Amino acid sequence: MLTILFDGIAYGMLLFVLACGLSVTLGLMNFVNLAHGAFAMAGGYVTTILMNRYGVPFLATLPAAFLAPAVLGVALERTLYRQLYSRSHLDQVLFSIGLVFMAVAAVDYLMGSQPQLIVIPTWLQGRVDVTVAQVGIYRSFVIAVCAVLVVTLQLVLTRTRFGSQLRASVDDPRVARGLGINVSAIFATTFAVGSGLAGLGGALGAELVGLDPTFPIKFLLYFLIVVTVGGTSSLTGPFLASLILGVADIAGKYYVPAAGAFVIYSLMIVVLVFRPNGLFASAR
Amino acid sequence: MQASPPAGTGVCFSAARRWRMAETVFWLAAAATFFGLPGYHLLLTEIAIIGLFALSLDLILGFAGIASLGHAAFFGLGAYVAGLLGKHGWGDPLLGLAAGAGSAALLGFLTSFLVLRGSDLTRLVVTLGVALLLGEAANQAAWLTGGADGLQGVEIAPLLGRFEFDLFGRTAYAYCLVVTFVLFMVARQIVNSPFGLSVRAVRDNALRARAIGVPVNSRLVAIYTVAAAYAGIAGALLAQTTQFVSLDVLALHRSADVLLAVVIGGVGYLYGGLIGAVFLKVLQDVFAGLTPQYWTFWIGLVLVVLVLVGRERAVAGARDVVRRVVGIRRRTS
Amino acid sequence: MTVSLETRGLTKRFGGIVATDNVSFRLEVGARHALIGPNGAGKTTFINLLTGVLPPTAGQVFLEGTDVTRMTPERRVLRGLARTFQINQLFASMTPAETIGAAVSERLRRGSTWWRSLGGQREIEAEVETIAARFGLADALGTNVTRLAYGKQRLLEIAVAFACRPRVLLLDEPAAGVPEAERRELLDTVAALPRDVSVLLIEHDMDLVFSFAERISVLVNGALFAEGSVEEVSNDPRVRAVYLGEDEHG
């Protein structure tokens, strides 16, 4: 029981790191970027390529798994995405789903359609029996990394100058510009960090959830659940939603394997019917 | 009250109602493909089905303003229902269509309540969720649907008890073309009716629509249900003409493809879905010829470019070219 | 029956803020009644409560003697309560003919008819043309509404509400933003509304209030502050202090 809870929390934390960038672009910048998963996939592939082709140790690949998607993200934001901020949601959906299809086919072409395997260092393998539960070492590692990220993010958003500038830019870009805030630079940075975090999540998750070219499509709904159920007024909502989703998904697959992903989808639909603005939406 | 002008001079609404020459040309051309392009019947059948499916999506996207990422749910349900009927000895095509339409309409009615509330985003997520849920159900219920192997052994009886479905798709194409034509005419009627006008009113401004007495929710439920039935029929046609149903009918790319067809052809313009289906299928064929496994890349590229150029502009430009070439003007809404 | 619209103890709270405070208000049949009040007095909330866009926290709304407090906005419209909006709320893809036609067909309970085209329905067409003539829109019936001059859009805004054949018509700042050149036509049209329609005018513009209204109610901080004939209200020192003093228009 507690093992499931533990695995669920690890999974949930991972989902949060994967999805939090989306929650920022979508919630704060009101941009529907269905291609978010493609950045996560990019991070995953950076890690597997570095490890399997160049023998770089796992931990050393992680910064690259963050940086590569971040750079990619900023490049796309500067050239393409920014033109679509003021467009309709339908346009944004069409555009980003186009990107997803391109990314999936391109990765399939370059890397093949088989799932990528990575071998995590031996010191991260195995499980430890803690009186009440079996604790996977790698999962503990994931939880620790994600927890650090979550706390850092929260601090950056609430305590730093950048955080307040971001919030100001989102509340009213025109006023923010008037105050001398470089709104477009703020958005670009945010987009880069969100993409980078997704990439990091993709790298960390390669071992837990697998990695193949259909990754952006498989996890699309999970990301959207985190964001819509969590609401977009803060990071706390998506964080809690990720944890609930992670635990419910693992528990559902363990206890009622026949029901597959039913549990999650039904849960999401029920939540959205009763709370169309998300479970933790504040009256903003 | 002032003296009323000569009653019903008909100036105000006739633009939408009148049947245009170009429409006759369009359908004559479609009929001509049946006789003139016998080698392409299989491809043309697929185009007619996608066209009908796109028409269905346009009813909710173009006319009611409901964006959906999961329209394949209804398409897939219709396909499975018709396929299952065929497999278990109820192979009459029209019965299959009716059952496909009925079941999809029921699902549409039930899920319409989910899309009444919330923003565009919530609608996208919920529709996507419903389609994935159905896909998962079809996958799990392998005893019924054949799961990942697909539903095999679908047998379809001769159409009207007389026309066998032949290997070259002759009967199939005629069948799909006629069904699509009939349903198109019904959709055209719906769009030009007071009901259609009220749905457009809701799309344009729900606040005002309420203020003139339009029961917004029940109109949205109605149009969503009708669109679902249309999609169910399109799915049933696919199951009957290919005598096979796979999980693919419920996949995300189905929903995305049909969205693309509507967008290529023009949103909120009934012929848009049909024209878009032609373009989409031809594009797919060309791309599949170029790079067999990776044609989705090019479809994605088309979407990206289309949005960046501006859908309206791209579609208007294409329409202009067509207009100049064929020398026709058409507009249904 | 001489009262066409009535509220009893109508109250709306948003959290701790009282937007509408125990308002008991009567609109006589055939009235030309103005509701005025400084910005933030709660005029918009009051209209939203009357039309059913917002549910009240307490109190009731009666339309021609029937309690409509729990009725949806669209049901109230069908019972004869129509409104216009301060900011144009038109159907961007439509022509005035379609806009008015939508309201007429809805009133005739034909809004769910799909088997007949709109164009063939003489009754609707005739009424659309009559209404268009009344509101000076006869020449513009086929023009997309977004291409109409602003004054014409404001006229259409009233024409749509009028097409619901209301017995009570709520006009929310009908002349707001209309350029001087187009203003006369609008005011004349409003003045020429048939007398059997009771009109409640929500207005900022004192010229319009004094030229049109026969009775005035003043709303301050969500509560009914004063009410009476135009003379009484305009001479009421408290009103002058609270409202007219604040608004340079007075």
Side-chain angles (χ1 to χ4, degrees):
Chain A
M1 228 296 271
L2 282 172
T3 309
I4 291 168
L5 187 66
F6 178 79
D7 287 2
I9 290 175
Y11 186 34
M13 296 278 244
L14 183 69
L15 279 176
F16 177 74
V17 171
L18 281 166
C20 66
L22 183 64
S23 119
V24 172
T25 48
L26 206 153
L28 301 183
M29 288 145 78
N30 196 22
F31 185 87
V32 184
N33 180 20
L34 299 185
H36 188 71
F39 295 101
M41 177 170 69
Y45 273 97
V46 165
T47 289
T48 52
I49 291 170
L50 287 178
M51 283 179 73
N52 297 345
R53 295 219 183 137
Y54 303 100
V56 180
F58 177 69
L59 285 187
T61 68
L62 292 183
F66 175 88
L67 279 177
V71 170
L72 186 66
V74 108
L76 284 175
E77 202 271 345
R78 289 287 82 179
T79 53
L80 301 179
Y81 276 105
R82 60 181 303 189
Q83 301 179 30
L84 297 170
Y85 284 149
S86 55
R87 297 280 199 84
S88 69
H89 278 160
L90 180 63
D91 272 337
Q92 296 171 356
V93 163
L94 292 169
F95 173 80
S96 54
I97 226 165
L99 282 187
V100 169
F101 283 162
M102 289 172 74
V104 168
V107 170
D108 192 351
Y109 175 70
L110 295 171
M111 304 291 300
S113 62
Q114 74 283 4
Q116 298 291 320
L117 298 175
I118 56 165
V119 183
I120 49 171
T122 38
W123 59 272
L124 281 173
Q125 290 174 8
R127 282 179 177 263
V128 177
D129 263 318
V130 185
T131 52
V132 288
Q134 280 208 322
V135 173
I137 297 177
Y138 183 66
R139 286 185 168 77
S140 316
F141 170 74
V142 168
I143 291 183
V145 173
C146 293
V148 170
L149 288 173
V150 169
V151 172
T152 317
L153 265 183
Q154 189 66 24
L155 286 179
V156 167
L157 276 183
T158 53
R159 298 285 165 81
T160 63
R161 202 174 139 69
F162 177 80
S164 52
Q165 285 185 342
L166 174 62
R167 277 178 286 129
S169 310
V170 166
D171 276 347
D172 195 332
R174 259 186 307 172
V175 171
R177 242 173 242 128
L179 291 172
I181 297 174
N182 187 345
V183 173
S184 83
I186 295 264
F187 279 3
T189 315
T190 311
F191 202 91
V193 174
S195 307
L197 283 174
L200 190 59
L204 288 172
E207 160 75 11
L208 291 180
V209 297
L211 182 67
D212 65 62
T214 62
F215 185 90
I217 294 176
K218 265 198 276 185
F219 281 86
L220 175 59
L221 188 71
Y222 281 74
F223 297 158
L224 289 173
I225 293 177
V226 167
V227 176
T228 47
V229 170
T232 46
S233 45
S234 69
L235 279 181
T236 328
F239 179 65
L240 292 175
S242 303
L243 289 185
I244 294 173
L245 179 62
V247 173
D249 199 30
I250 299 276
K253 280 179 181 150
Y254 183 82
Y255 288 112
V256 270
F262 271 127
V263 184
I264 295 307
Y265 298 161
S266 327
L267 200 67
M268 170 203 81
I269 288 173
V270 169
V271 167
L272 288 182
V273 166
F274 291 104
R275 298 294 303 269
N277 294 317
L279 203 50
F280 309 102
S282 59
R284 205 170 84 128
Chain B
M1 286 294 201
Q2 298 175 349
S4 55
T9 46
V11 282
C12 28
F13 311 118
S14 59
R17 185 182 40 137
R18 200 181 302 133
W19 180 264
R20 285 166 194 272
M21 195 54 203
E23 297 185 72
T24 313
V25 172
F26 180 91
W27 288 106
L28 280 179
T33 58
F34 176 75
F35 300 103
L37 298 170
Y40 292 92
H41 279 173
L42 294 177
L43 180 71
L44 289 165
T45 305
E46 239 183 297
I47 290 179
I49 292 171
I50 307 257
L52 181 60
F53 188 26
L55 175 66
S56 144
L57 179 65
D58 201 26
L59 282 179
I60 59 164
L61 177 68
F63 291 96
I66 301 172
S68 168
L69 258 186
H71 209 50
F74 309 117
F75 184 82
L77 182 65
Y80 271 109
V81 167
L84 283 168
L85 282 178
K87 185 178 177 175
H88 295 102
W90 303 79
D92 183 69
L94 296 182
L95 176 76
L97 284 196
S103 50
L106 184 66
L107 181 69
F109 176 75
L110 294 175
T111 53
S112 68
F113 295 95
L114 304 175
V115 301
L116 288 181
R117 305 176 60 186
S119 58
D120 277 357
L121 178 67
T122 328
R123 285 172 166 175
L124 289 170
V125 178
V126 168
T127 50
L128 177 64
V130 169
L132 289 174
L133 198 66
L134 231 61
E136 186 66 25
N139 185 26
Q140 295 286 331
W143 54 272
L144 182 69
T145 62
D149 296 333
L151 185 69
Q152 287 164 3
V154 176
E155 285 185 20
I156 301 300
L159 183 61
L160 303 171
R162 201 182 296 167
F163 304 101
E164 284 281 354
F165 284 90
D166 53 292
L167 216 57
F168 312 102
R170 219 178 127 73
T171 311
Y173 182 46
Y175 173 50
C176 289
L177 201 56
V178 169
V179 170
T180 301
F181 175 70
V182 170
L183 289 176
F184 177 86
M185 292 308 284
V186 174
R188 193 177 183 284
Q189 177 57 41
I190 291 176
V191 166
N192 290 331
S193 70
F195 171 75
L197 187 66
S198 73
V199 168
R200 275 173 58 206
V202 172
R203 175 199 66 191
D204 281 1
N205 190 332
L207 177 69
R208 172 58 106 173
R210 273 202 187 87
I212 60 169
V214 178
V216 169
N217 285 357
S218 61
R219 293 293 150 78
L220 288 179
V221 168
I223 193 74
Y224 200 76
T225 306
V226 170
Y230 268 55
I233 292 176
L237 285 176
L238 183 72
Q240 292 176 345
T241 54
T242 58
Q243 312 209 345
F244 176 72
V245 186
S246 70
L247 286 175
D248 173 78
V249 293
L250 288 161
L252 171 65
H253 80 80
R254 276 273 170 205
S255 301
D257 277 359
V258 72
L259 206 52
L260 180 58
V262 172
V263 166
I264 291 180
V267 176
Y269 163 65
L270 284 181
Y271 283 94
L274 302 183
I275 296 168
V278 176
F279 273 93
L280 179 73
K281 224 42 229 180
V282 170
L283 278 179
Q284 279 184 355
D285 237 40
V286 171
F287 292 148
L290 283 177
T291 45
Q293 268 181 59
Y294 310 110
W295 59 270
T296 50
F297 180 86
W298 304 104
I299 295 287
L301 187 65
V302 170
L303 269 172
V304 167
V305 171
L306 202 60
V307 173
L308 285 178
V309 173
R311 288 188 282 129
E312 309 281 304
R313 232 169 6 131
V315 172
R319 214 178 280 166
D320 241 31
V321 171
V322 171
R323 201 172 286 165
R324 228 168 290 149
V325 172
V326 195
I328 49 176
R329 290 198 351 252
R330 44 175 122 82
R331 178 112 204 142
T332 41
S333 64
Chain C
M1 186 178 54
T2 55
V3 180
S4 58
L5 184 67
E6 184 181 0
T7 68
R8 290 188 200 149
L10 202 60
T11 301
K12 179 71 186 176
R13 288 189 207 95
F14 296 105
I17 302 154
V18 184
T20 304
D21 188 3
N22 195 23
V23 173
S24 295
F25 169 85
R26 287 170 159 229
L27 186 71
E28 305 283 323
V29 169
R32 294 290 180 267
H33 198 132
L35 180 69
I36 63 172
N39 277 326
K43 298 188 295 271
T44 306
T45 306
F46 185 61
I47 291 210
N48 287 337
L49 292 174
L50 291 180
T51 53
V53 174
L54 290 173
T57 315
Q60 293 149 297
V61 181
F62 295 87
L63 180 61
E64 300 191 317
T66 314
D67 186 345
V68 297
T69 316
R70 309 252 162 270
M71 256 181 219
T72 60
E74 52 267 28
R75 292 283 306 284
R76 296 183 202 205
V77 175
L78 296 179
R79 286 185 150 267
L81 174 66
R83 71 169 293 187
T84 68
F85 292 84
Q86 186 185 340
I87 297 161
N88 282 341
Q89 302 287 344
L90 298 170
F91 303 122
S93 76
M94 294 189 189
T95 62
E98 290 172 314
T99 312
I100 300 171
V104 172
S105 82
E106 216 55 59
R107 197 197 77 232
L108 296 172
R109 308 291 200 274
R110 293 195 192 156
S112 47
T113 305
W114 62 267
W115 54 91
R116 289 178 69 189
S117 291
L118 193 66
Q121 306 194 29
R122 288 286 146 87
E123 206 180 335
I124 296 180
E125 288 190 339
E127 191 171 339
V128 166
E129 284 166 12
T130 312
I131 293 173
R134 173 182 273 275
F135 288 91
L137 293 162
D139 299 334
L141 272 180
T143 317
N144 182 285
V145 297
T146 54
R147 287 206 289 270
L148 295 178
Y150 187 74
K152 293 283 178 198
Q153 291 188 11
R154 287 312 279 169
L155 280 166
L156 179 58
E157 183 70 36
I158 305 172
V160 185
F162 187 75
C164 303
R165 205 172 278 177
R167 287 188 291 281
V168 177
L169 182 57
L170 310 178
L171 297 176
D172 194 353
E173 300 197 22
V178 177
E180 206 50 48
E182 298 174 80
R183 209 176 144 79
R184 194 67 259 157
E185 186 187 7
L186 189 101
L187 298 189
D188 287 347
T189 312
V190 170
L193 287 169
R195 279 311 300 216
D196 56 347
V197 178
S198 322
V199 179
L200 178 62
L201 172 74
I202 293 86
E203 192 47 83
H204 237 42
D205 182 333
M206 283 303 142
D207 293 341
L208 180 52
V209 169
F210 289 138
S211 72
F212 175 79
E214 290 157 3
R215 272 187 93 71
I216 297 180
S217 295
V218 186
L219 205 61
V220 175
N221 293 330
L224 215 48
F225 180 76
E227 186 177 321
S229 69
V230 175
E231 298 259 293
E232 286 164 9
V233 171
S234 55
N235 292 328
D236 187 331
R238 293 181 310 145
V239 174
R240 298 192 78 89
V242 166
Y243 184 75
L244 301 180
E246 242 180 68
D247 193 293
E248 298 298 320
H249 265 108

